[in-house]
Structure formats: C-alpha cells, structure tokens
Amino acid sequence: MSERQSALEVETAVEEASQAGTSRFVRACLRLPVDRTPVWFLRQAGRYMPEYMAVRKQHTLLEICRTPEVAAEVTITAAERLGVDAAIIFADLLLPLTPMGVDFEFVAGEGPQVHTPVRTLAQVEALETGRVDELSYVAHSIERVAKHFAAPRADGDRLGIIGFCGAPFTLASYMIEGGSSRNYVDTKKMMYASGVPGAAESRAWPLLMEKLVEVLAAYAQQQVEAGADVIQIFDSWAGVLSVPDYREFCLGPTTDLVERVRRLGVPVIYFGVETASLLPAMRETGADVIGLDWRTPLAEGWKAVGPGCAVQGNLDPIALFAPEAVIRARVAEVLQQAGGRDGHIFNLGHGIVPGTPVENVIKVVGWVKEMSQR
Ligand code: CP3
C-alpha cells in the first residue's frame, strides 16, 4: 500500500467512525459543523471538586485509577456536575510505567517519584513492552463510562469519551528525571548522547522512544476498543525543548504514535504547554486537534498551527479565580478569537488547579453554551 493510499484510508476510517456518533465534541475534532462550541476542561475531575475529595479520602490516587467502579464514578460525576460535552477518563499519565517495570509512587505535596530513574542503555534495554494488558483496568473504567453515556442527553447530543496517554517525550522525562523537573538535565543528556552515532549510550534515547511508542499505542488501542471516542496525547513538558531539538529527537516518535492511534479510527488531540514556537512542528505529527496553552491568543495560535487542523483551548486556568465579569469577558474573548470557525473546542490552556471555585467552572460552561450558539 502506498503511503498516500494508507493516509487516505486513515482519514476515511476516522471520519466514518465519528459520523456514526452524534457527538458535537467529536464533530468539532474533525472540523465538521456544530450547533455550538463544545466545552470540557483539562483536569475537570480533581482536587478542586468536593465530590472528588470525598472519594480521595477513602482511596489513594492510584487506588482510584486502578478500581474501574471508582474511576468511572469520578469521571461521570465531574462531567455531569459541570455539564460539559466530553468526559476524560480518570487515570494518570504515569500508569504505563508499572508494566514497563518502572516503580513509582505519588508523594503528598511533591508529586510523582520514580524509585529508580532510567538513565542508562542497560536500563532502557531492560524495560518491558509485553505487559500492557496489566493496564486493562483503564479500559474497564472506559467501558463503564461509555455505557453510562451511551444514550443521548436532553439536547440530543451524546457526550464524547476521551481516553489519554502521555507523549513519548513527556513520559520519558518522568522515567529519566524520576519526577517533575526544572531543567530536564538527565533527559536532555540522554537525548543529546543519541546525536553521536556509535557512542556507547547513543542507542538509549531512540530505543526508549521506540519502546514507549509500542506500549502507548497498545494502551491507546485498549482504550479505543473499550469505547473512547478520541485519544488525547499529553506532551505537557515539550515546551522545554528548542524547535530543532523537538524536531530531531521527538517529532519522529510522536508522529509514529499519532499515526498508530489514528489508524484505530479515532481523532487525536495533541496537547503541550509553552508550545508557541513548537506549534508548526506539533502540527506535523498529523494530529487532528492541537491543544493551545493560554499564553498566545487563540487566533494567533491557530494561525501558527495552520489550516486544516482543529484547536482546543485556551482560557488561562487561573482566570477561573477572577471576578465573574472578568471571567465572562475572557470567555467571550476566546470565542471571539475562534470566530465561530469549525474545529474549535473550548477548554483551558492547562489543567484546573486546586482551590478553583467549582461554581465559576460551571458558569463558564453556561457562557460557552450561550455565547457560541450558531
Ligand atoms: O479530570 C482529569 O483530567 C483527571 C485525570 C488526570 C489525572 N492526571 C489525575 C490526577 C489526568 C488527565 C492526568 C494527566 C497527567 N498526570 C498529566 C498530564 C496533564 C497535565 O496537567 O499536563 C501529568 C503531567 C501527570 C502527572 C502527575 N499526576 C503529576 C505531576 C501529579 C502531581 C500534581 C500535583 O499537583 O500534585 C499527578 C497527580 C494527579 N493526577 C492528581 C490527579 C487528580 C492530583 C493528586 C491527587 O488527587 O492526589
């Protein structure tokens, strides 16, 4: 099969799969006309929400993720409380580390900690790729959520169900740094070592990328088979890379992952933070939708992404702490920047943070619905 032919088949598969449903969220991902702009929020189920905190009192974060009844309940409660158009499955970016043989925990107040960071070729060679089935609890959570939202809502629209995984770079950065990082020194050391062909450690980075893509593609497949309508790929920390480094070390494996997920017949949303300079390169991955952070006005970000691609964003999550009139004006501004063009999904430029007033989030949903009616 020629490359062109296979690309065409992926396009057709994605469109057919999504025409079948009547979800305005999925239609917007494909730049099809919608009755109004769909809206959902990054981290819509989380610590700002009392319902989540009540569940969190009974279970650790990982217990919630690994117990489908509970993860599904948290996902559904948040989506229904807010009245959004899509539900993102409650899980965490780091879950695939476990079946690869990398142990980690969430330490209160400090975020994720990997017990033995992966920094050598020998450690990369030891990573496992054949245990992805151990993540099936996420697929089971999705099955429950999909069943719950199978019927159309009062307005005739079916809620979109979002599965997700990390991008190879962002996930690799957690494995290598051992947690959150400021300068990504060890990650970049491994990346740069691959620029010296024949050097002892030059194979570590490409092999790590290859293994991550294999695991993430299989993980995304489980989620799609369980009922995810769309897969969002989080490259949260790609913004620490220069454009040439992103192109040399990350674009290839990310494109490979995006292609493999789109072949499953679902649209892909590709999201990162502080990505203004990376947007044209991110678009080259072939993702259907690019997530925009709040630093660049949406129209400018969309222009950088280029025509023929949808965008998601991009209200500053901290604007949700502003007085009502200010939030309303900012919502209007984002919608005005989108200009009613097909292919805009309203969201924040990054996740909702703890302490955000839930009632403000709900108001934003109402305003998007009201202001974006076609
Ligand atoms: O509704 C939702 O979006 C929640 C589901 C979700 C979680 N993590 C649950 C979670 C999603 C989509 C994620 C993705 C995730 N996890 C990302 C990418 C998204 C982004 O914000 O860019 C990243 C980088 C992670 C890794 C991670 N998980 C970190 C760095 C932390 C600690 C952050 C902190 O402020 O403590 C987590 C913990 C985490 N994952 C929480 C939640 C609700 C909060 C901790 C808790 O409930 O104990």
Side-chain angles (χ1 to χ4, degrees):
M1 197 179 353
S2 78
E3 213 166 87
R4 204 191 148 87
Q5 206 176 353
S6 97
L8 208 75
E9 274 174 27
V10 174
E11 291 308 328
T12 318
V14 170
E15 283 225 3
E16 274 173 7
S18 346
Q19 300 271 19
T22 51
S23 159
R24 74 166 66 79
F25 165 67
V26 176
R27 291 180 61 82
C29 290
L30 296 165
R31 290 177 294 113
L32 295 168
V34 284
D35 56 345
R36 64 162 174 80
T37 304
V39 51
W40 70 281
F41 301 99
L42 298 168
R43 297 236 177 137
Q44 65 191 23
R47 283 170 299 182
Y48 76 105
M49 201 176 254
E51 290 88 340
Y52 173 75
M53 288 316 287
V55 175
R56 188 67 180 75
K57 259 193 192 148
Q58 314 286 325
H59 307 275
T60 66
L61 174 62
L62 287 175
E63 271 167 17
I64 301 176
C65 294
R66 290 171 179 156
T67 314
E69 305 88 283
V70 182
E73 185 204 311
V74 167
T75 306
I76 293 165
T77 303
E80 291 186 337
R81 173 96 200 266
L82 302 176
V84 288
D85 296 304
I88 184 161
I89 193 65
F90 193 90
D92 194 81
L93 207 69
L94 302 185
L95 299 175
L97 266 55
T98 307
M100 294 185 80
V102 177
D103 293 328
F104 68 94
E105 64 190 304
F106 286 100
V107 180
E110 289 179 49
Q113 282 185 13
V114 171
H115 297 157
T116 311
V118 176
R119 294 185 183 163
T120 65
L121 175 59
Q123 282 177 295
V124 174
E125 282 172 335
L127 292 173
E128 296 182 67
T129 56
R131 290 167 47 195
V132 188
D133 283 354
E134 290 173 24
L135 296 171
S136 63
Y137 54 83
V138 175
H140 293 315
S141 308
I142 291 178
E143 277 164 12
R144 284 169 177 266
V145 174
K147 196 169 161 210
H148 182 88
F149 289 124
R153 296 176 289 168
D155 68 352
D157 187 69
R158 199 177 60 75
L159 213 89
I161 295 162
I162 308 171
F164 74 88
C165 64
F169 170 78
T170 290
L171 218 46
S173 82
Y174 279 105
M175 283 182 160
I176 298 169
E177 302 296 331
S180 305
S181 173
R182 177 180 286 267
N183 294 321
Y184 297 86
V185 171
D186 289 293
T187 307
K188 291 188 179 183
K189 267 169 83 176
M190 191 188 285
M191 255 174 43
Y192 293 137
S194 69
V196 185
E201 290 288 314
S202 68
R203 279 184 50 235
W205 181 261
L207 184 61
L208 177 56
M209 292 293 101
E210 200 181 304
K211 287 187 164 190
L212 279 167
V213 170
E214 188 179 338
V215 166
L216 295 169
Y219 178 43
Q221 180 169 354
Q222 291 174 359
Q223 298 186 54
V224 171
E225 284 170 359
D229 299 305
V230 171
I231 295 289
Q232 173 149 333
I233 298 177
F234 283 95
D235 214 349
S236 305
W237 315 136
V240 303
L241 296 167
S242 70
V243 176
D245 281 354
Y246 176 84
R247 287 186 173 281
E248 183 173 353
F249 302 110
C250 302
L251 179 57
T254 311
T255 302
D256 192 11
L257 178 62
V258 169
E259 237 165 58
R260 288 169 74 161
V261 177
R262 292 190 80 241
R263 241 173 244 278
L264 302 168
V266 295
V268 168
I269 305 173
Y270 180 40
F271 168 81
V273 183
E274 297 198 63
T275 53
S277 58
L278 294 177
L279 290 173
M282 289 173 71
R283 164 73 193 279
E284 289 174 33
T285 58
D288 300 271
V289 186
I290 298 290
L292 302 174
D293 72 49
W294 68 91
R295 293 171 180 84
T296 311
L298 187 129
E300 218 175 285
W302 207 341
K303 198 168 163 206
V305 164
C309 187
V311 297
Q312 176 171 279
N314 72 339
L315 185 71
D316 182 345
I318 309 308
L320 294 168
F321 290 85
E324 189 172 315
V326 175
I327 309 178
R328 196 183 150 95
R330 295 300 174 93
V331 170
E333 174 69 12
V334 169
L335 290 171
Q336 187 258 325
Q337 291 269 326
R341 280 175 283 178
D342 294 331
H344 175 227
I345 299 145
F346 191 100
N347 206 311
L348 306 173
H350 203 180
I352 299 181
V353 306
T356 300
V358 179
E359 61 277 14
N360 288 356
V361 184
I362 294 171
K363 279 182 197 149
V364 168
V365 175
W367 290 327
V368 173
K369 290 179 180 177
E370 174 197 315
M371 294 180 198
S372 71
Q373 283 293 340
R374 306 283 196 267

